[in-house]
């Protein structure tokens, strides 16, 4: 089935009774908000959001690779884009535009973005009954800090976000958040928030994804045996290599070959791109972008393949501040310039993104693949300086001239008529 033509759900959601009572108010606390997710309706997936997610993924991957040459990298573009899209609901002005551009959502208004992610999320969750996929979102607010009702409502309605209030000064707060991440990644990612929460942090927006897919045709464990894996520096490493011969979707290009391994009913697959021995992975990566990816995806055809591939497991973590700034989102991280006025009133201080933390896990074996990701957007507050005290000398006054070294008053007087 064509994912872009799949039928999906959108959200109509109703405010909880507390919110209805608060209509007309500027602010209310997250703990006053009903956590129940709105019931969705069915609607088509917006291809613009799918395309945007693909473009963000490759742009971010290539930006990370600049500082991590010849290292394992594993990211979840969908997890990152969902966490940032939730944050986008609180952005305004230049900050909103910069985030929209970085997320590759050019030309889409807020409503289209939200309904697009809602539909995509629901489609993914129902894509393949033989594949386990969970997508969970949450907002964790500092106790005593109020957020705007519309910001909270959009994230519950369109992203199904759970909203909770915690005492961030209590050491149990980070444990509570990390336990939520641990639960929603099936124990694969146990920690996304540090033990001590920064005093300026007022909100965490977190996405967690868990995936477990069984190969459509599993590998026979008895055929797995040690074999050489050639490292980038020329060395060899002995690793467990799985073996299977069957018909696979296959693609051959001038300097590489590619194969597709299906999970479950075939709605989801792993794609492996292997540069030729005479070529180099970095050469391949230099030509890897959203456009080339879409071109390659259309050219796979069934071929009899003798496949040998390694079992592997890796964990990856990255703070994404610098890559996101390089992609044009710097204003959102600037305490002076960031504009998240749709998130909370400026009377509490100027909000900005402190940190975007991304963690992933993947294990590939004879049975299939297990993967998880979590993305945390930490929002901090830069206190707004108190308004200047009014001191208008527009009435009679006393004044003095004093030598502060000797404390001698040299002159004094009053002015009743300048």
């Amino acid at each position: 089935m064509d994912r872009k033509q799949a039928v999906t759900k959108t959200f109509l959601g109703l405010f909880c009774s507390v919110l209805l009572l608060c209509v007309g108010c500027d602010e209310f606390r997250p703990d006053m908000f009903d956590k129940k997710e709105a019931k969705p309706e069915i609607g088509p997936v917006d291809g613009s959001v799918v395309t945007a997610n693909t473009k963000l993924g490759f742009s971010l991957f290539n930006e990370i690779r600049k500082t991590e040459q010849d290292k394992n990298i594993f990211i979840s573009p969908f997890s990152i884009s969902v966490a940032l899209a939730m944050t986008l609901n609180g952005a305004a002005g230049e900050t909103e535009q910069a985030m929209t551009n970085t997320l590759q959502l050019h030309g889409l208004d807020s409503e289209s973005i939200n309904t697009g992610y809602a539909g995509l999320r629901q489609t993914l969750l129902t894509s393949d009954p033989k594949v386990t996929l969970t997508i969970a979102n949450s907002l964790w607010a500092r106790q005593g800090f109020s957020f705007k009702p519309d910001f909270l409502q959009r994230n519950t309605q369109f992203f199904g976000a759970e909203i909770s209030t915690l005492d961030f000064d209590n050491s149990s707060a980070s444990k509570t958040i990390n336990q939520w991440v641990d639960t929603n990644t099936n124990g694969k990612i146990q920690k996304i928030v540090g033990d001590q929460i920064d005093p300026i942090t007022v909100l965490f927006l977190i996405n967690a994804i868990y995936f477990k897919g069984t190969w459509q045709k599993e590998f026979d464990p008895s055929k797995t045996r040690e074999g050489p894996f050639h490292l980038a520096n020329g060395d060899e490493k002995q690793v467990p290599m799985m073996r299977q011969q069957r018909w696979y979707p296959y693609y051959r290009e001038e300097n590489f070959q590619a194969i597709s391994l299906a999970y479950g009913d075939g709605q989801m697959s792993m794609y492996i791109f292997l540069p030729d021995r005479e070529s180099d992975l970095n050469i391949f990566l230099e030509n890897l972008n959203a456009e080339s990816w879409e071109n390659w995806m259309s050219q796979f055809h069934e071929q009899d393949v003798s496949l040998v591939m390694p079992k592997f497991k890796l964990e990856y973590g990255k703070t994404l501040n610098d890559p996101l700034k390089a992609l044009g989102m710097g204003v959102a991280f600037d305490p002076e310039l960031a504009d998240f006025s749709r998130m909370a009133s400026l009377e509490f201080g100027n909000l900005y993104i402190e940190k975007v933390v991304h963690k992933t896990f993947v294990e590939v074996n004879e049975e299939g693949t297990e993967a998880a990701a979590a993305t945390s957007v930490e929002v901090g507050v830069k206190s707004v300086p108190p308004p200047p005290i009014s001191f208008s000398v527009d009435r009679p006054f006393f004044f003095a001239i004093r030598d502060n070294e000797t404390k001698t008053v040299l002159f004094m007087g009053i002015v009743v008529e300048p």
Side-chain angles (χ1 to χ4, degrees):
M1 185 193 307
D2 186 343
R3 180 76 52 81
K4 295 182 180 179
Q5 296 177 345
V7 178
T8 67
K9 301 179 180 178
T10 57
F11 292 69
L12 286 181
L14 298 175
F15 285 99
C16 64
S17 57
V18 173
L19 179 57
L20 289 172
L21 293 173
C22 291
V23 171
C25 299
D26 290 331
E27 316 281 345
F28 74 105
R29 299 185 308 278
D31 55 323
M32 298 167 59
F33 197 80
D34 188 353
K35 300 176 185 177
K36 185 177 180 181
E37 182 177 344
K39 296 297 182 183
E41 275 194 348
I42 294 176
V45 167
D46 185 343
S48 299
V49 172
V50 176
T51 300
N53 181 71
T54 302
K55 289 181 177 179
L56 171 67
F58 286 115
S59 296
L60 196 56
F61 180 86
N62 286 325
E63 198 61 43
I64 292 171
R65 196 172 62 85
K66 291 178 182 179
T67 58
E68 299 194 21
Q69 290 282 344
D70 298 325
K71 294 183 180 179
N72 291 330
I73 299 173
F74 183 61
I75 65 173
S76 169
F78 183 70
S79 176
I80 296 166
S81 65
V82 166
L84 290 173
M86 289 195 296
T87 310
L88 181 62
N89 276 309
E94 182 185 351
T95 302
E96 180 180 14
Q97 191 60 54
M99 292 185 70
T100 299
N101 291 342
T102 299
L103 288 169
Q104 304 292 324
L105 295 165
H106 320 278
L108 296 180
D109 59 24
S110 179
E111 191 73 13
S112 298
I113 292 170
N114 282 323
T115 56
Y117 274 101
L120 180 56
R121 173 173 167 263
Q122 288 303 307
T123 299
L124 290 171
L125 290 174
T126 57
S127 178
D128 190 332
K130 293 184 179 179
V131 170
T132 298
L133 180 67
T134 60
I135 303 169
N137 297 310
S138 61
L139 274 67
W140 306 84
R142 178 179 287 276
Q143 191 174 68
F145 197 96
S146 297
F147 292 89
K148 293 189 173 181
D150 184 64
F151 167 70
L152 299 175
Q153 182 266 336
R154 283 176 177 272
N155 282 315
T156 55
Q157 179 181 352
F158 296 106
F159 294 88
E162 304 172 32
I163 298 179
S164 301
T165 300
L166 295 175
D167 178 4
F168 285 2
D169 296 326
N170 191 313
S171 60
S172 66
S174 59
K175 293 179 182 177
T176 299
I177 298 173
N178 287 328
Q179 182 57 55
W180 182 91
V181 172
D182 180 78
T183 299
N184 285 284
T185 59
N186 201 36
K188 301 307 176 185
I189 297 173
Q190 300 176 354
K191 188 174 183 178
I192 196 79
V193 175
D195 294 335
Q196 297 294 322
I197 297 176
D198 197 303
I200 66 173
T201 303
V202 296
L203 180 67
F204 292 93
L205 301 99
I206 300 180
N207 168 268
I209 296 179
Y210 175 73
F211 169 91
K212 187 171 184 179
T214 301
W215 300 125
Q216 201 169 68
K217 179 69 174 178
E218 296 184 28
F219 290 79
D220 182 353
S222 67
K223 295 181 180 179
T224 299
R225 58 182 182 271
E226 295 286 306
F229 188 88
H230 303 275
L231 305 179
N233 63 6
D235 293 342
E236 286 187 4
K237 180 181 180 180
Q238 293 294 314
V239 299
M241 302 292 278
M242 305 183 295
R243 291 167 167 79
Q244 187 175 113
Q245 180 175 340
R246 62 182 294 259
W247 287 79
Y248 288 102
Y250 175 86
Y251 173 58
R252 186 73 169 104
E253 184 59 90
E254 183 179 354
N255 296 313
F256 69 85
Q257 55 185 326
I259 193 171
S260 172
L261 287 73
Y263 299 103
D265 283 339
Q267 290 293 102
M268 298 185 183
S269 302
M270 174 183 286
Y271 292 86
I272 299 174
F273 289 79
L274 181 67
D276 293 345
R277 296 187 187 281
E278 300 76 20
S279 186
D280 180 83
L281 178 60
N282 288 323
I283 294 175
F284 169 79
L285 293 174
E286 287 172 3
N287 297 306
L288 178 62
N289 53 50
E291 290 71 26
S292 58
W293 171 263
E294 293 298 339
N295 177 48
W296 296 333
M297 287 299 98
S298 65
Q299 299 190 56
F300 280 76
H301 59 277
E302 292 288 325
Q303 184 76 35
D304 187 16
V305 178
S306 177
L307 174 63
V308 179
M309 64 177 288
K311 295 171 60 173
F312 64 92
K313 179 169 69 173
L314 65 89
E315 297 179 27
Y316 181 78
K318 180 76 173 178
T319 298
L320 299 177
N321 292 30
D322 289 341
L324 289 170
K325 288 177 183 178
L327 293 178
M329 221 178 84
V331 65
F333 295 90
D334 192 318
E336 304 289 345
L337 301 178
D339 182 355
F340 287 100
S341 54
R342 292 199 301 152
M343 187 179 292
S345 172
L346 289 179
E347 68 181 86
F348 297 104
N350 197 54
L351 300 181
Y352 66 101
I353 297 178
E354 284 181 79
K355 191 186 301 182
V356 178
V357 179
H358 187 57
K359 291 190 175 183
T360 56
F361 167 92
V362 64
E363 181 174 9
V364 175
N365 55 30
E366 293 89 351
E367 180 183 334
T369 303
E370 190 173 21
T375 306
S376 170
V377 178
E378 300 180 22
V379 176
V381 60
K382 181 183 186 299
S383 297
V384 174
I389 297 172
S390 177
F391 193 92
S392 180
V393 186
D394 59 357
R395 49 199 178 273
F397 62 94
F398 168 87
F399 73 107
I401 299 176
R402 173 183 183 258
D403 173 69
N404 294 315
E405 182 69 24
T406 63
K407 302 180 182 179
T408 302
V409 176
L410 299 176
F411 305 94
M412 71 172 61
I414 61 171
V415 176
V416 294
E417 184 181 349

